[in-house]
Amino acid sequence: MLLANYLRQCGVDLDLQSVILRIAQGSVELCSRVDNNAAVTVGEENLSGDEQIKLDVLADAIFTGVLQGEKVVYALVSEEKDDQELVNEEGRFTVAFDPLDGSSLVAANFSVGSIFAIYEAKGAIGVTGADLAAGIYCLYGPKTMLVFAIGDKIASFTMHKGEYYLEKNDLRIADTTKYFAPGNLKAVNYNLNYGKLVDYWISHDYKLRYSGGMVPDIHHMLYKGDGVFAYPGMTDQPNGKLRLLYECIPMAKIVEAAGGFSTDGEQSILTKKVESLHQRTTFCVGSKAEVDRYIELQV
Ligand code: AHG
Ligand code: MN
Ligand code: MN
């Protein structure tokens, strides 16, 4: 079933349907425009201090372009832009996005993604996961896929000839797992509790599944039915690296809709209030028993 038909069949709010279909359209365009120069650096850094590559800039321009044409959008926030951009004063939604997650993996042709958080709010400051109308990611790998969570509904779609078709709507994450994805592994040298957690996983024969791209790393747990992904902080980077507004909240929403859990070590990522657009947060997400272990060990 086509994405548009599925959204209609599920009775998704019409305005939200339009925004999701714009995002799908953007991802189709992005796939058609990737070329040999994708990983060339452009000599600029974004606000977070990451070096931009041509594909970051292209992805940002494409998704900004499609979403600017959508009158139900109040404002846009992109990882690649310092400030929020007003689209329509009358709009209902603020769409925050990471146009290309995993830029540093593009040169090596690893899987990468795009992440979107559609908030029912006029502006991003002060929102929490409770304001999220939908969390979405696109995954560019052997297959191009789109996964969304709306309320407690989660569904995945595969792109074929420029259209997304329903693949699964029964994705679940079990409470226990033997897969682990330890982001920021060097932090074990400074954050000794993270070292204890990683030692536990290794000494109990857990299987490593880590690509360095959060979208494929989290997608792995949805498709295997269990797993845990962590990106903790350390002394000189207490809040880790990942951004709350447009990386962690939408990914946590998708995982929680599938029955998993999320935390920053103290509270669910979905209850954490956004205080600044590019705010970072520590993050652990996945099977309940492992998210609990992360909290208990005070990583
Ligand atoms: P981005 O490419 O948008 O900057 O984010 C990449 C993220 C995420 O996908 C991954 O889990 C993490 O950065 C990896 O970080 P390290 O650079 O610490 O490996
Ligand atoms: Mn990212
Ligand atoms: Mn990015």
Side-chain angles (χ1 to χ4, degrees):
M1 188 188 301
L2 281 169
L3 171 63
N5 295 344
Y6 187 72
L7 291 169
R8 204 173 311 126
Q9 183 189 289
C10 291
V12 171
D13 175 284
L14 289 178
D15 291 348
L16 185 57
Q17 286 189 30
S18 318
V19 180
I20 295 173
L21 292 174
R22 293 268 183 178
I23 288 169
Q25 180 198 336
S27 69
V28 171
E29 186 180 340
L30 180 59
C31 290
S32 74
R33 290 179 58 188
V34 178
D35 64 19
N36 282 341
N37 293 320
V40 172
T41 53
V42 298
E44 298 284 333
E45 283 186 356
N46 63 21
L47 193 81
S48 306
D50 305 325
E51 194 171 40
Q52 286 180 309
I53 60 168
K54 286 199 170 174
L55 202 57
D56 285 313
V57 177
L58 178 67
D60 184 43
I62 290 174
F63 289 117
T64 301
V66 289
L67 290 165
Q68 270 171 341
E70 186 50 70
K71 64 181 188 322
V72 299
V73 172
Y74 172 82
L76 298 176
V77 179
S78 165
E79 182 197 355
E80 302 306 331
K81 304 227 178 67
D82 298 359
D83 300 318
Q84 177 169 293
E85 181 186 343
L86 182 69
V87 174
N88 176 14
E89 287 275 5
E90 309 300 318
R92 289 168 58 186
F93 300 113
T94 294
V95 185
F97 57 101
D98 178 353
L100 181 70
D101 181 72
S103 325
S104 68
L105 305 172
V106 171
N109 205 27
F110 275 33
S111 294
V112 295
S114 304
I115 309 172
F116 303 87
I118 307 174
Y119 295 95
E120 173 102 46
K122 286 183 182 281
I125 301 300
V127 298
T128 69
D131 300 304
L132 204 58
I136 301 176
Y137 67 75
C138 298
L139 170 60
Y140 315 106
K143 297 191 290 186
T144 297
M145 299 193 65
L146 182 149
V147 176
F148 71 65
I150 300 173
D152 57 6
K153 273 198 265 310
I154 172 166
S156 66
F157 299 81
T158 306
M159 193 195 290
H160 179 67
K161 295 188 177 164
E163 298 279 5
Y164 280 107
Y165 293 88
L166 179 67
E167 188 172 288
K168 286 179 186 281
N169 57 5
D170 58 354
L171 294 161
R172 301 302 299 159
I173 293 177
D175 285 350
T176 60
T177 185
K178 282 277 187 169
Y179 290 114
F180 72 120
N184 203 17
L185 194 53
K186 64 180 178 302
V188 299
N189 296 318
Y190 315 94
N191 176 340
L192 301 184
N193 291 341
Y194 189 39
K196 286 183 194 156
L197 181 61
V198 171
D199 281 347
Y200 179 91
W201 288 333
I202 294 171
S203 62
H204 287 75
D205 289 345
Y206 283 44
K207 199 180 253 201
L208 178 72
R209 281 293 178 268
Y210 184 73
S211 73
M214 179 170 57
V215 174
D217 289 337
I218 289 181
H219 189 78
H220 185 274
M221 73 175 76
L222 285 164
Y223 266 67
K224 294 292 179 180
D226 53 88
V228 61
F229 171 91
Y231 201 107
M234 53 191 194
T235 333
D236 64 345
Q237 212 185 11
N239 297 317
K241 171 185 180 187
L242 299 171
R243 274 58 60 102
L244 178 62
L245 178 68
Y246 47 77
E247 292 183 310
C248 299
I249 290 178
M251 296 308 280
K253 171 74 192 170
I254 290 167
V255 169
E256 292 206 10
F261 287 77
S262 71
T263 189
D264 65 353
E266 282 172 8
Q267 59 179 322
S268 161
I269 289 295
L270 298 184
T271 60
K272 192 163 175 163
K273 198 181 260 189
V274 172
E275 275 152 12
S276 64
L277 299 181
H278 302 281
Q279 174 183 348
R280 298 176 193 270
T281 182
T282 53
F283 191 37
C284 178
V285 68
S287 291
K288 182 176 191 306
E290 300 308 329
V291 174
D292 285 348
R293 205 184 310 284
Y294 180 101
I295 297 167
E296 274 157 28
L297 285 173
Q298 300 186 320
V299 173

